Amino acid sequence: MQFSCLLHGGDYNPDQWLDRPDILAADIDLMKKAHINCVSVGIFAWSRLEPEEGRYDFDWLEAIITNLYQNGISTILATPSGAKPAWMSRKYPEIRRVSRDMTRDLHGKRHNHCYTSPVYREKVRQINTALAERFAHHPGVILWHLSNEYGGKCYCPLCQQAFCGWLREKYGTLDALNKAWWTDFWSHRYSSWDEIEAPVPAGEESVHGLNLDWNRFCTHQTNDFIRWEAESVKAVRPDLPVTANFMYFFDELDYYTLKDSVDVISWDAYPTWGENEESEAEVARRFAFNHDLMRSLKKQPFLLMESSPSATNWQPVSKLKRPGVHMLSSMQAIAHGSNSVQYFQWRKSRGAFEKFHGAVVDHYGGSDTRVFRDVAQVGERLEALGGLIPTCNRSQVAIVYDWENLWAVNDAKGPRNCGLKYRETVLSHYAPFWKMGINVDVIDETCDLDGYRLVILPMLYLLRDGFAEKLRRFTDQGGTVVATYWTGIVDSTDLCWLGGMPGDGLMELFGLRSEEIDALYDGQYNSIKPQQSGLFPAKDYRVSELCDLVIPSTAQTLAVYGSDFYAGRPALTVNQFGQGEAYYIAARAEDAFQEDFYGALAQKLHLDRALSCTLPEGVTAVRRSGDSFDAVTVMNFTPTPQEIRFPETAEVWETGAPVNGALSLAPYEVVVLKLAASSR
Ligand code: GAL
């Protein structure tokens, strides 16, 4: 799915200014000045669109969309289900969500409707159909923005009933369910389907299989609602694409399950630039990972649907973006595969919850502001970079980040209830590639492994059916797999593998058995001592938190523990499996270990870097590949100037100025290079 240009714009809420035609007129002039070519309209406009039940008022919306179109600005049109009108909440209590304390919400806020309620679904279908009939063929409308940031769970009787129905379909018999959930533990055996309740603090939360299935069901039910919305607009015009804006590390919904319900992936990114806890480079890495995840969902470019042009008003501190950071942050999204830079929000609202949230146009109302100038510069640059549209990032490396695994690993009791740190672990295995300028896909266990050279499994505790077999095939055919401690512990119903771990045939793949795992208190350490293997330097690395004690069968030991009663036992191993190799990292190692280890592996496997050079600390480069040209975006996430040297012949994308192997970057500067397409 491609648009004709890189999109630049954002959430536009004219519904808040209908009594101010002067402001609506000024918006168009200002948008042109800011190089805006696309806005998202109507996201929270339901009470204006349907002021009374069944009476639609779309004339104002039509005037806005047409005016935008006549001025060269296209519209991403929202379905309004993200916030329901007060009359609806009052008349139909069942549409209001029931929260985990089992009380039903009053009317208020947003993102709080029940996904199961037939009444809500019908109301949504009716207004979506009416909107589609009026606007789906409008030449200004290019995409549907379904609702807003789907999320949240409802515990109402309708949802509980749907959950039971979903379980019946999944398990067929109560016996099968009782077995899968291991309900004989604490005498939790169910004897009738209607005894099953969603997990809540006042009720059942100790059955891991139930918790996992409830998470799956909530994704299923949300997905069903998304499809319902998509079908309602597509019934009118099937070829107008839909998107739904996803969120940063959103644990609640398995985006891999949702990805096929939308035509285009989009997401909202609000990096916490300038915070105390992390450097800009560390913040950049977390967001790079999420950009890569969004691109990997469909293995296609995505849209950055929201970002703040300056500060947010919901982070602990509303820090302004330092000079250069807005451009850098926007270009980071483009580098990782976005074909847009969209903002929340175009114009600051005058009242209510977000009146101090960053916007392109401040309460002041003019274009002579620092933020406006920053935004206009991004718009100008995106126009010059239009040739990037057909390019996309290609990766030889995949990191598995799997929602079902996330839910299970975070729910398990032990071995470190003070923090297993799945997300942090995944990021620490991602960071070395970011530093080397090597593209990474973020995949889950349902994805194909074909085409990758290296697949990394940080803490892949839960093995879904068939994934171990995929790994064995991949390795057998010459792929390289790296797993860490706490991999292959439970099956897809959260039952521990019997007969040795890692389970489901992974003992054979890694050539070892995990005998027991030691958990360390915070502040306690052990070390990894590499043996002479030629793979990486023979220096000690600090390890903490989790130390797996493995017994190799066919694996070769590459490093051992330095202390405690398991000093000398294997801490890093490799096993030849068919044509490939399977590495096992037994302990949570400091970042330096990951850097040296993956640095060595990148060389050994001849992994492609965006540029054939070592990048300075805090600088990265990301490649989007095209048929004739590749684009390499080089980004300096440090407050100091940086120099890089590389052997490739390149030119600056926008100007065509030659770059002869050396590039100087000002603080926070970003440069896009054009290179001949690589043969990959
Ligand atoms: C997003 C949301 C927007 C706005 C924004 C503020 O999560 O979709 O409507 O609230 O946050 O940063």
Side-chain angles (χ1 to χ4, degrees), residues 11 44 110 148-149 245 268 270 306 314 344 354 357:
D11 283 22
F44 297 113
R110 58 175 178 175
N148 192 65
E149 295 189 335
N245 49 339
D268 304 341
Y270 292 96
E306 290 182 23
W314 52 264
F344 179 85
E354 290 180 329
H357 192 288

Side-chain angles (χ1 to χ4, degrees), residues 65-86:
I65 294 177
T66 302
N67 195 20
L68 287 164
Y69 176 64
Q70 285 166 350
N71 284 282
I73 301 161
S74 39
T75 294
I76 299 176
L77 184 57
T79 66
S81 64
K84 50 193 163 9

Side-chain angles (χ1 to χ4, degrees), residues 12 91 196 225 310 355 398 400 456 463 513 517 524 550 584 649 651:
Y12 179 40
K91 182 160 179 198
I196 301 171
F225 189 86
S310 58
K355 64 180 183 288
V400 177
I456 301 168
L463 292 178
R513 177 166 71 83
I517 189 159
Q524 297 181 339
V550 300
Y584 193 88
T649 311
E651 56 185 52

Side-chain angles (χ1 to χ4, degrees), residues 412-476:
K413 289 277 157 264
R416 257 182 66 93
N417 296 331
C418 57
L420 279 171
K421 303 191 185 161
Y422 175 52
R423 184 191 293 180
E424 290 86 338
T425 306
V426 172
L427 285 172
S428 80
H429 286 256
Y430 172 83
F433 297 95
W434 186 90
K435 290 186 177 187
M436 289 187 279
I438 293 177
N439 279 356
V440 173
D441 279 355
V442 179
I443 64 171
D444 81 347
E445 295 184 43
T446 63
C447 294
D448 268 355
L449 305 181
D450 303 342
Y452 296 118
R453 287 195 196 164
L454 172 63
V455 172
I456 301 168
L457 323 171
M459 295 177 78
L460 201 64
Y461 168 79
L462 177 146
L463 292 178
R464 300 211 209 178
D465 298 348
F467 187 62
E469 181 50 34
K470 255 196 255 181
L471 285 172
R472 280 196 301 269
R473 218 178 316 122
F474 169 76
T475 317
D476 187 41

Side-chain angles (χ1 to χ4, degrees), residues 250-263:
F250 192 62
D251 293 356
E252 264 180 32
L253 291 177
D254 177 355
Y255 284 154
Y256 265 100
T257 301
L258 267 42
K259 73 178 169 37
D260 294 326
S261 303
V262 293
D263 301 299

